[in-house]
Amino acid sequence: ALTTAAHTAAAMQPAVVVAPTADAARAARIANGLPLVFASYLNPVDAQIVSTEAPRPENATGIALDDRLLSKRIDILKEAFPSIRKVALLVDEDWRKDAQIDGQLAAERVRTGLDLVAFVADTPSGVESVFRSAAAQDIDAWYIPATYVGFLVEAQIIERLKALQRDVHDVFIGV
């Protein structure tokens, strides 16, 4: 779907292509020569949006919320609340895939001894489903990184956490 949209956009010869996610930016690269403005949660070189962070041949610029602080945030959460045993992350699919969160969580489980679970939601109804799930009821603490879905439904996430009667410790939503 993104590739089709990118081909359609390129055929229209816009002045600029705006890509709100790493996947959209990668798809938009087919519009060679057209300026690209992107947002990505990872380093744009790692996400294969551009070839280098230095001056480059691609006509692209953007912002990356390159968040490599998962280990530190888990350490702080564990130190602040030593009784927690099960921590959930609420992420969207782009962030889960691009941040390679499954591998990171496996390493953090071994390092910290915590039961770390990733919940994935891309829409407001998906977020609602996550919080209504039986698995969400057993979570001691939540970490919500700055992702598209976090920005999209920030108030809904905070309300659902309150409904679970959990303190909103580290709702890192926003820049």
Side-chain angles (χ1 to χ4, degrees), residues 67 73 77 81 88-90 131 141-147 149-151 153-162 166-175:
D67 188 340
R73 289 194 176 104
L77 194 57
F81 304 95
L89 282 77
L90 176 61
F131 283 110
W142 288 80
Y143 168 53
I144 295 100
T147 65
V149 76
F151 289 114
V153 292
E154 177 180 3
Q156 177 187 357
I157 290 169
I158 292 170
E159 286 306 311
R160 293 305 294 152
L161 289 172
K162 288 178 182 177
R166 301 297 189 274
D167 293 332
V168 182
H169 305 305
D170 188 15
V171 180
F172 180 71
I173 301 174
V175 180

Side-chain angles (χ1 to χ4, degrees), residues 4 6-7 24 40 50-51 55 64 74 83 95 121 128 140 160:
T4 302
H7 280 291
S40 173
V50 295
S51 58
I74 290 172
S83 65
W95 199 86
E128 194 64 29
D140 298 323
R160 293 305 294 152

Side-chain angles (χ1 to χ4, degrees), residues 74 77-78 84-89 105-106 108-119 135 138-142:
I74 290 172
L77 194 57
K78 188 175 177 183
I84 64 171
R85 296 292 171 252
K86 192 166 191 176
V87 177
L89 282 77
L105 288 182
E108 287 302 309
R109 281 184 200 103
V110 171
R111 188 182 71 78
T112 64
L114 293 173
D115 184 2
L116 301 168
V117 179
F119 288 93
D138 294 336
I139 302 300
D140 298 323
W142 288 80

